[in-house]
Amino acid sequence: MVLAVNGSRVLLHDPLNAGLSPTSCDNLASLGAFCLVPAESAEQVRCLLILLCVPALLGLVPVVAAPMHAYAAFTVASNTVGIEGGDFLVATTSAVLVLVCATDRRLHGWSPRGTARPSMRHIPAQVFLLGLRVQVSYVYLEAATVKQVHPIWADGSALWYWMQQPNFGARPEVRDLLGVALAQAPLLHAMTWGVIVAEYALAFAVLAARQRRTRLVTLALAVLMHLVFALVLGLITFFVSMLGVLLVVLWRAGDPLPWKVVRALRPKRRNGKRARRQLVSQVR
């Protein structure tokens, strides 16, 4: 998405240089696509990287599509202007998915696995996915602990300061809308500390969630929190990055589609007549 909606002049913007240049070509970053070609070909490279992501988007030949997507993500994280941090998260996750898909022999990812019981060759993939789950849990845990020891988060005023921040701050209309609420100290403290509590809860839930209902509730709460961050603070690409990672670690092939999640989370109700018939048959 970042490559599709941003031109090379945005991705390779350098305030100290009038031309286009990668942000870094040192060490491993030198292997990024924007470092391997002249600056004049940056737009063509961007289009090529978009094409590399198409097979992964369509789920075609995972064993081939995963490395292509991983290289595009690595290039974006290493050579372009990154502000929100979502690019590094996508690069790390896509690298793990290369290892996960290395034993996937399907022509496309939409076809079910041949057997419900995983074979020995799928055990490494399960281990890597578990490692990815641990990493996501650590992201939330680190975010919560760093906030907890920071003075403005500890005293409950951080959200007010973040709303005024020029780079990540809220848009004027959002600031005006929330300004009245954040001017109330008890509400401001509750909202600020609520973010820390939510991140601690997600750090635990991402690891502990096993049953479908628990996983879907955890996924819904995490998506809601990042959606609020995206709408209020403008962290759009970070929201999309976290959404993708959360789907990888919390979604399962047998889970309901998004528009059926609410129905799946409802408690099952037995029909009264059917229940009475079953009771009578048991008595007989």
Side-chain angles (χ1 to χ4, degrees):
M1 187 190 78
V2 173
L3 289 166
V5 301
N6 296 286
S8 56
R9 292 187 177 278
V10 175
L11 296 172
L12 303 179
H13 172 69
D14 185 358
L16 302 179
N17 187 358
L20 302 179
S21 62
T23 56
S24 175
C25 284
D26 300 329
N27 302 322
L28 283 178
S30 62
L31 299 177
F34 287 113
C35 293
L36 300 178
V37 298
E40 295 77 12
S41 304
E43 190 63 20
Q44 289 82 350
V45 171
R46 183 183 72 90
C47 295
L48 178 60
L49 292 175
I50 293 175
L51 293 178
L52 290 181
C53 296
V54 171
L57 181 64
L58 299 177
L60 302 176
V61 195
V63 69
V64 177
M68 294 166 60
H69 176 261
Y71 180 71
F74 167 77
T75 298
V76 171
S78 302
N79 300 158
T80 66
V81 178
I83 300 177
E84 301 175 10
D87 46 357
F88 290 99
L89 182 63
V90 172
T92 303
T93 304
S94 59
V96 174
L97 291 180
V98 171
L99 302 175
V100 171
C101 296
T103 58
D104 195 337
R105 299 174 182 174
R106 294 175 297 173
L107 292 179
H108 58 86
W110 307 107
S111 60
R113 194 166 51 194
T115 59
R117 192 173 184 179
S119 61
M120 292 295 293
R121 66 187 177 89
H122 292 135
I123 292 180
Q126 298 299 322
V127 173
F128 291 128
L129 287 175
L130 177 61
L132 186 59
R133 183 188 289 259
V134 172
Q135 181 188 9
V136 173
S137 175
Y138 176 76
V139 168
Y140 285 120
L141 181 63
E142 182 185 30
T145 53
V146 169
K147 289 182 177 67
Q148 185 178 4
V149 299
H150 198 284
I152 64 174
W153 282 95
D155 64 19
S157 62
L159 285 185
W160 186 87
Y161 286 106
W162 276 107
M163 291 283 289
Q164 316 302 323
Q165 217 273 348
N167 293 328
F168 293 106
R171 296 175 60 86
E173 55 271 18
V174 177
R175 190 184 305 119
D176 295 339
L177 180 63
L178 297 179
V180 178
L182 295 180
Q184 309 299 320
L187 187 56
L188 172 61
H189 296 167
M191 293 173 64
T192 302
W193 294 330
V195 173
I196 299 177
V197 173
E199 289 177 338
Y200 272 125
L202 289 174
F204 171 76
V206 166
L207 282 180
R210 290 293 183 269
Q211 297 182 352
R212 185 176 73 169
R213 183 180 298 273
T214 309
R215 285 188 289 101
L216 293 182
V217 169
T218 302
L219 177 62
L221 292 177
V223 170
L224 178 62
M225 184 183 73
H226 289 292
L227 179 60
V228 171
F229 290 166
L231 295 177
V232 175
L233 301 178
L235 303 178
I236 304 299
T237 59
F238 186 73
F239 165 71
V240 176
S241 302
M242 285 303 304
L243 176 61
V245 176
L246 289 168
L247 287 174
V248 170
V249 299
L250 293 174
W251 201 266
R252 298 292 181 272
D255 289 341
L257 296 174
W259 51 88
K260 297 182 180 179
V261 168
V262 176
R263 183 183 302 177
L265 293 178
R266 290 177 182 173
K268 296 182 179 179
R269 296 180 179 178
R270 281 189 171 184
N271 183 278
K273 293 182 179 180
R274 183 179 300 175
R276 283 196 295 271
R277 290 199 200 100
Q278 292 178 352
L279 180 59
V280 171
S281 63
Q282 289 175 3
V283 172
R284 290 178 179 175

